[in-house]
Amino acid sequence: MIDPELLVATCDPTGLVLWRNRSWTRVMGSDDDLWSGLVETDRELARQNLQEAARGALVSHALFMVTRPMRDEPLPVLLHFIPVRSGSTWHVAISGEVLAEPETWTESQTERHRMETLGRMTMGMAHDFNNLLSGILGHLALWRAEDPEGASRAALHIGTMERAATDGAELIQKVQRYIRQESRSGFAPVDVSGLLLECIAFTRPYWFNEPRRNGIEITFDHNLPVLPSILGSAAELRDVMVNLILNAVHAMPDGGKLQLSAALDGERVRVDLKVTGLGMSPEVADRIFEPLFSTKGEKGTGMGLAVAAGIVREHDGEIRVETEPGAGSTFTLLLPLPVQQAPKESTLPASSRLEPGEEIHRTILVVDDEAMVRNVVTRLLELRGHTVLAASSGAEGMDVLERHPVDLVITDQGMPRMSGRELAHHIAIRHPELPVVLLTGDTDLNVNEAEIARVLTKPFKIDDLSKAIAELVTHTTS
């Protein structure tokens, strides 16, 4: 029986064990070396994480594999390394949990647990990915603003990069919504035929360029008439089709033919992707949409088609496959047409609405420990006419506020020693009239509304940030 309790241990900076609970010893072992139970390739990484924490840095959501005497496969364990100051030195507290389901769970509970495990594993990475995407989108916006002539010449490439980064952000937000157990509040109109043409162009290097370099020919025909728009997420549906096309290419190692078509099917739009090639056995076809099921061995994650099926279900649609070994496969998507609804009126007060080109120029403090994001936000706001003061930590931000009057604070959430929420709490005590905007890539969006006036998720759009600034400054000055 796998121990369900929290694993806890404390040690000094050299790794000397000071204390550990029974759950730790049952799972990780009782050797003097904390990491003797890990697979060999993970031991050095664990020691590196320990050293980082011993220098005062929090290391969270680190996944390791533990060997077990009575278990064929290594046991996955998620650990967090927490620095604790003891006098003039740092000690390290380590907590963790086993990421494996008890054998007594039913099949449906096991599948749910696996998906929840994936959520926990990705939660710590979402913030970092959102920071990277913020930097990409921010620098593209700066390119447009600072070099409009050069940006105009490269408009096609900039647009492609922006679409790819925005789609990446949408997918990360989907994972974050799943972790929070939220459902999407609404979709936007999607031109299915236009989206499918984009997918063909986006995947061209995979079905045209790369196969030809290897002496293989894959052709791609399509029949995509003008159809009514559906309601949905273009980024998510694009991800579904890209997944299907790439899987189709993998199923044609000797070349073949792809055919993509779309048509009305009653009250739904039907999309068919026909693939020549290997085809699938009935046993494989029955499982291809299951989480963690893969026919690619170590090269596959088993999540591409499972995520695609989940996206289609979220759109109240249907995905299915018809296949025969040696005769290829046909994947079919059925997506419902929308029920017509009257457009909603804007709820933004008239006094807070901005006319095109209108901007309120203020002094703004930007606090973010990531230099790339901090510099991009600073430069974009300066181009809008704002005066910007920057700080790399919560403590530095508080020092700036003591020396300079500002109209608004924009702060990141995930910062060492003082988080964005903690900074907002200190600001609320010392400067209760000062509005704070939390700019975050984290999954948890719950905030104290008395201390944080607005939450914007990374990657952000400068127009959304400018709108928030204008609304909050207008509100606090009126």
Side-chain angles (χ1 to χ4, degrees):
M1 177 69 179
I2 295 169
D3 198 309
E5 296 179 2
L6 193 68
L7 314 181
V8 181
T10 58
C11 62
D12 71 5
T14 68
L16 177 65
V17 179
L18 302 177
W19 180 83
R20 52 192 160 190
N21 68 355
R22 293 177 60 188
S23 294
W24 182 283
T25 57
R26 279 196 292 264
V27 174
M28 303 289 287
S30 56
D31 293 352
D32 291 340
D33 182 359
L34 276 173
W35 315 120
S36 61
L38 298 183
V39 298
E40 187 174 354
T41 53
D42 282 358
R43 293 172 192 167
E44 182 57 33
L45 178 60
R47 294 186 181 102
Q48 291 175 5
N49 289 343
L50 175 63
Q51 289 302 311
E52 288 184 35
R55 291 191 292 268
L58 173 66
V59 181
S60 63
H61 302 92
L63 183 67
F64 299 97
M65 305 304 290
V66 181
T67 57
R68 299 277 291 176
M70 304 301 294
R71 185 182 173 97
D72 294 334
E73 295 294 327
L75 190 67
V77 175
L78 195 68
L79 297 179
H80 314 275
F81 298 74
I82 306 164
V84 180
R85 183 178 289 278
S86 177
S88 60
T89 62
W90 290 96
H91 284 68
V92 180
I94 308 166
S95 66
E97 58 186 313
V98 175
L99 300 182
E101 64 279 359
E103 297 176 357
T104 55
W105 281 18
T106 65
E107 183 177 348
S108 62
Q109 288 172 321
T110 298
E111 180 174 335
R112 178 182 177 185
H113 178 69
R114 285 175 176 170
M115 296 303 292
E116 290 173 349
T117 295
L118 289 171
R120 291 197 297 271
M121 290 168 59
T122 55
M123 188 165 58
M125 296 184 290
H127 175 268
D128 294 333
F129 275 117
N130 280 326
N131 272 341
L132 292 172
L133 292 171
S134 293
I136 293 171
L137 290 171
H139 280 289
L140 290 173
L142 284 175
W143 188 357
R144 291 186 188 278
E146 296 180 334
D147 184 14
E149 184 177 343
S152 177
R153 290 195 300 270
L156 177 62
H157 302 296
I158 292 177
T160 301
M161 287 186 286
E162 285 179 331
R163 181 177 298 124
T166 302
D167 285 358
E170 279 284 327
L171 292 174
I172 292 172
Q173 288 170 9
K174 176 179 174 60
V175 174
Q176 291 176 312
R177 286 195 302 273
Y178 173 81
I179 296 169
R180 295 192 299 263
Q181 296 297 306
E182 290 182 2
S183 60
R184 181 180 293 276
S185 59
F187 290 134
V190 176
D191 173 9
V192 175
S193 293
L195 180 143
L196 295 176
L197 287 172
E198 289 179 357
C199 293
I200 294 173
F202 183 75
T203 57
R204 183 180 176 84
Y206 300 94
W207 58 261
F208 184 84
N209 298 10
E210 187 63 27
R212 276 159 178 73
R213 280 198 290 268
N214 296 317
I216 300 169
E217 182 178 9
I218 295 177
T219 60
F220 204 147
D221 296 332
H222 60 81
N223 179 22
L224 303 173
V226 176
L227 297 169
S229 295
I230 66 167
L231 286 180
S233 165
E236 292 174 357
L237 292 174
R238 193 179 292 116
D239 184 61
V240 170
M241 288 310 307
V242 168
N243 255 302
L244 292 178
I245 293 171
L246 296 186
N247 274 279
V249 172
H250 291 151
M252 296 187 291
D254 299 320
K257 185 176 183 179
L258 294 168
Q259 291 180 292
L260 184 61
S261 62
L264 283 179
D265 187 345
E267 296 299 314
R268 298 187 291 186
V269 171
R270 177 184 178 121
V271 177
D272 290 307
L273 177 65
K274 296 183 179 180
V275 186
T276 63
L278 300 177
M280 291 175 278
S281 68
E283 293 78 15
V284 171
D286 287 341
R287 300 190 61 192
I288 58 171
F289 299 117
E290 289 183 11
L292 305 179
F293 176 76
S294 175
T295 60
K296 302 175 185 176
E298 295 181 355
K299 295 182 179 180
T301 64
M303 290 306 300
L305 291 178
V307 170
I311 291 172
V312 173
R313 285 194 298 270
E314 187 176 304
H315 285 73
D316 294 326
E318 180 183 352
I319 184 170
R320 59 193 185 211
V321 62
E322 296 179 3
T323 184
E324 184 178 340
S329 307
T330 299
F331 287 86
T332 299
L333 303 182
L334 293 166
L335 300 167
L337 293 171
V339 177
Q340 297 297 323
Q341 294 180 345
K344 295 181 179 180
E345 292 292 328
S346 171
T347 58
L348 184 65
S351 60
S352 297
R353 296 175 190 164
L354 293 177
E355 297 299 325
E358 184 181 354
E359 197 75 60
I360 299 176
H361 299 157
R362 298 294 184 183
T363 300
I364 299 171
L365 170 62
V366 174
V367 185
D368 199 310
D369 63 315
E370 293 284 345
M372 177 179 64
V373 178
R374 184 175 67 249
N375 294 338
V376 165
V377 175
T378 297
R379 184 61 184 139
L380 287 171
L381 291 176
E382 287 176 341
L383 288 173
R384 294 294 176 102
H386 299 293
T387 299
V388 182
L389 305 173
S392 61
S393 67
E396 185 180 343
M398 291 302 299
D399 289 341
V400 171
L401 290 177
E402 295 302 320
R403 293 182 281 110
H404 302 281
V406 303
D407 299 301
L408 180 135
V409 176
I410 299 171
T411 179
D412 182 33
Q413 159 56 21
M415 299 184 294
R417 295 182 177 82
M418 185 187 297
S419 70
R421 288 177 174 84
E422 292 170 334
L423 174 60
H425 178 69
H426 290 297
I427 292 174
I429 294 174
R430 299 190 190 182
H431 310 277
E433 77 292 346
L434 188 58
V436 176
V437 174
L438 188 70
L439 190 63
T440 178
D442 284 350
T443 300
D444 182 9
L445 301 182
N446 293 319
V447 298
N448 183 344
E449 296 182 358
E451 298 175 348
I452 296 175
R454 191 70 53 87
V455 177
L456 295 179
T457 58
K458 294 179 181 177
F460 62 93
K461 294 181 179 179
I462 185 58
D463 288 341
D464 293 338
L465 188 56
S466 293
K467 182 179 178 181
I469 293 169
E471 291 173 9
L472 294 173
V473 171
T474 300
H475 175 74
T476 55
T477 58
S478 59

